Amino acid sequence: MPGLIRGVARTAVVAGTATAVSNRVSRRQAGRWAQQDDQQQQPQAAAPAPAPTPPAPPGDDMSNKIDQLKQLGDLKAQGVLTEEEFAAEKRKILG
C-alpha cells in the first residue's frame, strides 16, 4: 500500500507542476499578443486624416498657398501624411 500512495502522490505533483507551467506559458503568451495588438493599433490611431484646407481669400492668394504648403510639409515631416497624401494635397493647393 505505501508504494501505491507514493505513486499517486508523485502523479499528483507532476500533474500539478505541468498545470502550473502550462498556465504560466498561456498568460505570458496572451500578454505578448496583447502588446503586439497595442503596437499595431497605436500607429493607426495616431494618424488622423488631415483637415481640409480652407479656401484662400482673394487678395492674398500667393502667400496663403505658401503657408498651406508649409503646413503640409510640417505634417509630412511629423509622419501624419504619407508621400501620396502630401502630393495630392499639394496638387489641390497649386491648382
Side-chain angles (χ1 to χ4, degrees):
M1 196 65 146
L4 180 63
I5 294 175
R6 185 179 305 147
V8 170
R10 182 179 302 144
T11 302
V13 168
V14 169
T17 303
T19 301
V21 170
S22 174
N23 288 340
R24 183 171 181 233
V25 169
S26 295
R27 282 192 304 270
R28 188 178 336 148
Q29 193 172 28
R32 286 182 184 164
W33 288 342
Q35 278 182 334
Q36 286 176 348
D37 289 343
D38 289 345
Q39 289 173 353
Q40 289 175 354
Q41 290 177 359
Q42 284 176 353
Q44 294 171 357
T53 55
D60 199 20
D61 191 39
M62 186 54 130
S63 67
N64 193 16
K65 285 183 180 182
I66 291 172
D67 289 339
Q68 288 177 345
L69 289 172
K70 285 180 183 179
Q71 289 175 349
L72 279 177
D74 291 341
L75 290 173
K76 182 182 168 213
Q78 293 171 2
V80 175
L81 292 177
T82 64
E83 185 67 37
E84 293 81 21
E85 293 170 331
F86 174 76
E89 290 296 319
K90 187 170 81 170
R91 280 192 296 273
K92 287 180 187 177
I93 292 171
L94 295 177

